[in-house]
Amino acid sequence: MTRASLNKQPHEVASMFDDVAERYDLTNDVLSLGQDRVWRKEVAKAVDARPAQKILDLAAGTATSSLPFAQTGAYVVPCDFSLGMLQVGKKKHPWLPLTAGDATRLPFKDDTFDAVTISFGLRNVQDFDAGLREMYRVTKPGGRVVICEFSHPTWAPFRTVYTEYLMRALPPVARAVSSNPEAYVYLAESIRAWPDQAALAGHLQKAGWSKVAWRNLTGGVVALHRGFKQV
């Protein structure tokens, strides 16, 4: 079984997600206590996809996250660099144009998409600043980015409890439900090492995004960041 290290070598991360692909959606549901469904609904609202718009869903995995955008009548492209995830997604959703791609070298032309979104995937990109610049490149002028990622709870006592859950409770739960529990040890470590809300907003601004703002979900366990590409 593969476990990536925090230097996030792309082949290690891709292989790790290949290993967990079959039970990935179920495992996320269990580990988040069902909150992942709430978070994805908030992402869909923030993206605000409209009929005929082009939406790029990065780190889409099995493409479960892409369905709300497709249901609005938008043209959504689920993109991921784990071929195992894409294969599982293609079995579940054969009508979607699942695409293999690296977030730091996206296989799309400049100014292609009305919106780019990534949920729980930016943290796994080795050079996420390069990823933010690539998202900017492929977004149309006036278009938007929406990032949903684990973050830092804002209330200190809860932050302590949450950190304990990540490092102590999450691995044994993962052992019970996941095909590769070691992958979830990496995920817990990567969440703990991730920049806080304000720091991530700074990275977005540095990549060129304007009107950057964020909103906390579940007390800051997850944060939604949004930015726009200037016209």
Side-chain angles (χ1 to χ4, degrees), residues 66-83:
S66 304
L67 296 178
F69 311 126
Q71 289 163 359
T72 68
Y75 177 77
V76 57
V77 178
C79 182
D80 202 288
F81 73 164
S82 165
L83 295 181

Side-chain angles (χ1 to χ4, degrees), residues 151-152 193-201 203 223 225:
S151 198
H152 294 243
W194 186 244
D196 67 12
Q197 292 88 326
L200 182 56
H203 284 276
H225 282 70

